[in-house]
Amino acid sequence: MRTARSRFRLPTALLLAATALLLTSCGWSLWDVPMTTVIPKSDFGKATHGLFMLISWWTLGIFIVVEGALVWACLRFREKPGQPIPSQVHGHTVLEVSWTIAFAVILLIIGIPTIRMIFKTQEPEAATALRVEVAGRQWWWEFTYPEYKFTTANEVHIPAGRQVAFYLHAPDVIHSFWMPQLGGKRDVVPGRINRLTLTADGPGEFPGQCAEYCGTSHANMRFRIVVHPKESFEQWVAGQQKPPAEPVGDLAQKGHEIFTQAACVGCHTIRGVSGGVMGPDLTHFASRKTLGANLMANTPENVAKWIENPGHMKPGALMPDLGMRGEQTKALAAYLTSLK
Ligand code: CUA
């Protein structure tokens, strides 16, 4: 008995120590996990979180009852020295019927609000909803605002307190549009349009991510959601509707010339300058905080690095290395980062 116990003590102690070390070294806290779904910031997020908690509490209750009964039975009916073989029991109709009914009732308690919620999320959006068309592409996100007639990429801005209807489509393969804290996750499927509606509670910045494996750079298919108070959203819209900034200074001017003479124009739109549609719209590229679908900060150095070796920064990226180096990339980066 003693040897068996000591055999278990060491691994258990080691496991506990390792767990404690892991938790303390990570400094893990529920409040600094940006990809969490349990701190919802929209009506959609709160509704799905409510269902999640309902299921969690019921399953916790079942766990406690079942494990409690198990432990009680183990202690109460364990073998005592000199005890005769206990009477052999086969089946207990009352018990079997009652636990079948009890679990059927619990399934109904969970099932009814779940089904109600599924229907609620499929209701038509409000007439006042903001429509945002989302295209999931390998490996970046395109956002079009038909009401305001402009397109942007990898950064979706929405107003707080106004319903937003995201219309999702995929020009290439299946993706999944996921905004953990806003509670939204929906597949983006070629050949069909899925819709997701939600109303964000208040201003904030949230990370988003493709949640369906879609090829080499699936993990690099991120985006940012910026929720504005009403007025600052209107300001942002007005900024995006403006024509692109004119290049200021020799370097940016040279970059503008390189852009219009090189293959860049075949893939990228800069309104009034070029009309390519393969890659992200760059009209107000410098208004975005990040580059390459939230891969790195949008700085002239990173833009130059990206132009010189996109395949290294984002494996499998469709953007080719056009062979530009040194002064050329510097000029292009100066031009692009002037497009506020
Ligand atoms: Cu797109 Cu994974």
Side-chain angles (χ1 to χ4, degrees), residues 175 210 212-214 218 221:
H175 305 273
C210 178
E212 175 89 38
Y213 182 72
C214 54
H218 155 70
M221 193 171 164

Side-chain angles (χ1 to χ4, degrees), residues 136-141 172-177 188 209-215 217-222:
R137 297 172 182 270
Q138 285 171 314
W139 290 275
W140 58 283
W141 298 94
D172 44 44
V173 299
I174 301 178
H175 305 273
S176 177
F177 185 61
V188 186
Q209 163 80 55
C210 178
E212 175 89 38
Y213 182 72
C214 54
S217 269
H218 155 70
N220 293 322
M221 193 171 164
R222 302 192 285 264

Side-chain angles (χ1 to χ4, degrees), residues 244-295:
E246 287 296 325
V248 177
D250 289 349
L251 200 59
Q253 187 61 48
K254 193 176 158 220
H256 176 258
E257 273 163 34
I258 294 171
F259 183 89
T260 51
Q261 285 158 14
C264 314
V265 292
C267 293
H268 294 282
T269 291
I270 294 180
R271 261 179 275 141
V273 177
S274 62
V277 291
M278 288 274 286
D281 185 306
L282 301 176
T283 308
H284 292 288
F285 172 70
S287 73
R288 309 203 278 259
K289 270 196 187 165
T290 66
L291 160 73
N294 217 350
L295 206 58

Side-chain angles (χ1 to χ4, degrees), residues 60-84:
L60 178 69
I62 293 167
F63 173 80
I64 290 170
V65 169
V66 170
E67 292 305 308
L70 185 68
V71 170
W72 175 77
C74 287
L75 296 175
R76 173 75 180 71
F77 301 109
R78 71 177 157 179
E79 191 185 11
K80 292 175 191 86
Q83 195 183 32

Side-chain angles (χ1 to χ4, degrees), residues 75-151:
L75 296 175
R76 173 75 180 71
F77 301 109
R78 71 177 157 179
E79 191 185 11
K80 292 175 191 86
Q83 195 183 32
I85 290 177
S87 66
Q88 301 297 297
V89 179
H90 296 281
H92 189 301
T93 312
V94 175
L95 209 56
E96 283 165 18
V97 169
S98 10
W99 72 47
T100 304
I101 291 174
F103 285 114
V105 170
I106 293 172
L107 284 179
L108 279 178
I109 292 172
I110 292 170
I112 290 170
T114 305
I115 292 166
R116 209 189 280 153
M117 178 65 194
I118 291 172
F119 278 92
K120 196 166 168 7
T121 59
Q122 297 304 313
E123 280 173 4
E125 72 255 28
T128 52
L130 169 69
R131 183 182 172 120
V132 180
E133 285 165 7
V134 181
R137 297 172 182 270
Q138 285 171 314
W139 290 275
W140 58 283
W141 298 94
E142 185 173 60
F143 301 106
T144 302
Y145 294 71
E147 184 182 335
Y148 302 119
K149 299 188 177 56
F150 67 80
T151 295

